[in-house]
Amino acid sequence: MGYIITENSIYESIDKEKNDIRLERVLWIDELENVIVTILLYPQEGMAEVKNLEDFKLMIENGELKKNNTDPFSYLVNPDSNHLEKHRTYRDSAWSIIKELVEDESAIYDPSVRWKLISDVAQKNNVQPKTVLKYVKKYWIAGKMINSLLPSFNKCGAAGQERKANDIKRGRPSKDSKLDPSQTGINIDKFHIEKIHLGIKLYYNSKSKHPLAEAHQLTIENLYHLGFKEKNGVKVPILPPAHQVPTLGQFKYQFYKGNYLTKSIIARDGAKRYALKHRPVLGSAYKMAFGPGSVYQIDATLADVYLVHSYDRSRIIGRPVLYICQDLYSRMVVGMYIGLEGPSWAAMKMALANTTIDKIQFCKQYGIEDICAEEWPCHHLPVSILGDRGELEGKNADELAGSLGIIVSNTPPYRADWKGMVEQTFRLLNLKTIKWLPGSIKERFRERGEPDHRLDSVLDINEFTRLMIWTIHDYNLNHLIKDYPRDEHMIQNNVKPVPIELWYWGIQNKGYLRESTPEAIQLALMPRAKAVVTHEGIRVNGMYYSTEKAIHEEWFQLARARGRWEETAAFDNRNVDTIYLLLNDGKEVVPCSLLEQESRYTNKRLEDVLELLELEDEQKRRHQGETMQTKADLRAKMNDEIEKARQKTDEAVNLSGCTKNQRLKDIHINRADMKEKIREKEKWQVDNSQPSEAAIQNPESEEEFTAFEPRKMKYLNIIKNA
């Protein structure tokens, strides 16, 4: 069986003389007459040519001709609908002229009668023979398709080629030139192109962000001026007439022609904002995930709601920090954390730890009993985590990789779009719940006289956490993910694009979940703090703890005798009842409990405790400020009393004429004398009689002094005889 040649097929050959490829299309085949008709497509379009069919087949067998499966006119099979509708009449008119001519193929391919046939058709339709020939060639070259007769206006005007500037003004005449022929304007040549491009670079592609019209004006003022003149003491540029400089339209044309869009956005807004707001989005972050647990995204945001203090609900504590950890494959929220510390490694650890704990026990800590394990089955380690720099950089990332074997990745700076999934979840939580809470931030600014929304705050941090748990639970079970890229297997299994269904289907088919003992995970992710062993207990975060090991080994006695020392402790921010001492480089873990005297901190979060301690410190500082005046008053009174006493004493010493030795020598006698006087003054009398006021005020009256003389002499004699 010989080689089969079909009509409209294209064959290529090598032109050995010109060392170039020739493409020709088969138009007609007559096996009986051993004739084949072809037309040259490349390197230039030719006319239909009659050849020997056997010779053509022999060239194919020898490899001189090779079939080319690429048809350069295949686009005409399905042309642009707008172009077709616009020029359908033109096409149909051309087809009506050549229809009978090209359908009689046995005649039209004969060169001896072809021109006569074309001339007759031209005369019949009142057109030029060259027009008919043009239509016929277009029809043949494109593979006998009627759409080949559509006009090719896109090939007109030498699109994309630079025009040569001359004295004749190109383009449509301006309205000014119609009024004044001398104001025809200028052609844009190389000289003007360089100045326009320089003006775009200086005045448009800059941080000043001038609009194009302003950049055009600045270009004319600074690059086309004829000099300067003084006007009211100011140097003003002298500009040429408007028809001698580029117009705004010519300026804009060069701007868009020069493909300045990307460069301009980067120059005006910076590369970071371009990457975030203006770059083409051709890929998808979801391709990074190959199953549940393969990639977690984690991020934090300030919740748009104000909370109150858990101990004193009259105090507003500000906005909480909300952490979300989400599985990239299923969009399941696998972990969360709500605290008061700003985005930090300690807070992120709490969120990561939450991804690995039993969610049922977690919910019970907040009094939620109606969530079952099948509805939130997430307590696993991921293969990798995608974070937002900051918390997951440097040493922090090394800790995760070393202790838990998690690969840590970070987005570039200011590229929140790389974590679009978790950012979208924040938006959903805000729209669904946070926005409607009392104390939430409104979208508009508060009008004058309008109540402050912060005063509406009623929720404490535990109550807000409960609301977020319910909202996340509803999201995991019911949120329908729009445009989720389900593969063919998901479609066959009728998997709904809902997080919980994607999670379970992914586990059964593509699961990459990892587990470890809860204790190991918790210890690896718990924040660390300095534990100081003192004689009062083990102090961590301002609270005191104890343990059987410390009591048995007499740590507290040693601390009092030899001085305090430090150890490392791990703790859970959500409950301060227990801390864990890491002894012997972490090989020994010793749990410690709060002392009984610290019972007020039982079942409290660390944030609440620190807030309480700060409140008490504030009260102490305020009290110290309030008592400074009373201390000053007391000191003034005391100094005044001392000064009066000093004056009295100095006068008495001067009157007595006693020396210092005499004053010191008589201390015992003076003490005994004063003791007797005090006893006399303080003695009880059954008849409730009181000493006379004069006696109290003048204990050294003449009478008493006289009565005291014999007794004084008696004591002196005793001392002398001793």
Side-chain angles (χ1 to χ4, degrees), residues 259-287:
N259 295 322
Y260 278 104
L261 184 59
T262 299
K263 295 178 182 178
S264 296
I265 294 174
I266 293 175
R268 291 163 69 89
D269 296 335
K272 294 174 182 176
R273 181 164 292 275
Y274 168 80
L276 181 62
K277 297 288 186 181
H278 305 286
R279 66 178 176 83
V281 182
L282 305 178
S284 173
Y286 305 132
K287 298 298 182 182

Side-chain angles (χ1 to χ4, degrees), residues 579-590:
I579 57 105
Y580 303 89
L581 290 180
L582 306 179
L583 307 178
N584 300 324
D585 296 328
K587 297 177 182 177
E588 183 180 1
V589 181
V590 180

Side-chain angles (χ1 to χ4, degrees), residues 47-314:
M47 180 53 71
E49 183 180 357
V50 180
K51 296 182 179 181
N52 185 282
L53 179 59
E54 291 299 328
D55 293 342
F56 195 85
K57 290 181 178 180
L58 184 62
M59 293 178 66
I60 295 174
E61 293 175 1
N62 295 336
E64 297 178 36
L65 287 174
K66 184 172 66 172
K67 188 175 182 180
N68 189 316
N69 295 318
T70 302
D71 191 335
F73 298 93
S74 59
Y75 67 92
L76 292 173
V77 174
N78 186 26
D80 181 73
S81 58
N82 294 329
H83 184 70
L84 178 61
E85 290 300 322
K86 185 176 181 180
H87 301 292
R88 184 187 298 274
T89 303
Y90 181 96
R91 180 201 67 177
D92 294 344
S93 175
W95 173 244
S96 65
I97 294 174
I98 67 170
K99 182 176 183 296
E100 296 181 0
L101 185 64
V102 296
E103 287 180 348
D104 185 8
E105 295 187 287
S106 60
I108 191 64
Y109 294 133
D110 186 353
S112 61
V113 299
R114 181 186 301 150
W115 187 251
K116 183 179 184 308
L117 295 174
I118 290 175
S119 299
D120 292 343
V121 169
Q123 185 177 5
K124 179 181 177 182
N125 291 277
N126 195 25
V127 295
Q128 293 292 326
K130 290 183 179 180
T131 302
V132 177
L133 180 60
K134 180 183 71 172
Y135 291 160
V136 171
K137 286 184 63 176
K138 288 183 67 176
Y139 178 74
W140 285 342
I141 289 172
K144 301 178 182 179
M145 285 190 290
I146 298 177
N147 284 338
S148 64
L149 301 176
L150 289 167
S152 302
F153 294 143
N154 59 309
K155 297 181 179 179
C156 299
Q161 297 181 15
E162 286 290 340
R163 290 355 182 231
K164 293 182 179 180
N166 50 40
D167 296 335
I168 301 175
K169 176 68 172 68
R170 299 190 304 265
R172 175 176 56 85
S174 66
K175 293 181 180 180
D176 292 338
S177 66
K178 294 179 181 178
L179 298 176
D180 185 356
S182 64
Q183 298 184 10
T184 57
I186 61 172
N187 287 323
I188 302 299
D189 55 13
K190 184 177 180 181
F191 170 79
H192 294 293
I193 289 176
E194 290 179 354
K195 287 201 171 186
I196 290 174
H197 287 183
L198 180 59
I200 292 172
K201 180 179 179 181
L202 293 177
Y203 307 118
Y204 186 79
N205 295 348
S206 67
K207 299 297 182 182
S208 301
K209 297 185 179 181
H210 295 297
L212 270 176
E214 185 68 17
H216 169 256
Q217 176 67 25
L218 291 171
T219 301
I220 302 302
E221 290 179 7
N222 294 282
L223 303 182
Y224 281 90
H225 66 80
L226 303 176
F228 295 92
K229 64 180 179 180
E230 290 286 339
K231 189 174 183 180
N232 297 328
V234 179
K235 189 165 66 171
V236 179
I238 302 173
L239 303 184
H243 66 275
Q244 295 181 9
V245 295
T247 64
L248 177 59
Q250 291 171 322
F251 189 86
K252 288 183 176 180
Y253 176 81
Q254 292 298 325
F255 172 78
Y256 291 115
K257 181 182 178 182
N259 295 322
Y260 278 104
L261 184 59
T262 299
K263 295 178 182 178
S264 296
I265 294 174
I266 293 175
R268 291 163 69 89
D269 296 335
K272 294 174 182 176
R273 181 164 292 275
Y274 168 80
L276 181 62
K277 297 288 186 181
H278 305 286
R279 66 178 176 83
V281 182
L282 305 178
S284 173
Y286 305 132
K287 298 298 182 182
M288 300 167 55
F290 39 80
S294 58
V295 179
Y296 284 176
Q297 285 188 5
I298 189 168
D299 200 7
T301 188
L302 272 176
D304 292 338
V305 64
Y306 283 80
L307 304 181
V308 299
H309 199 290
S310 298
Y311 285 91
D312 182 1
R313 301 184 77 93
S314 66

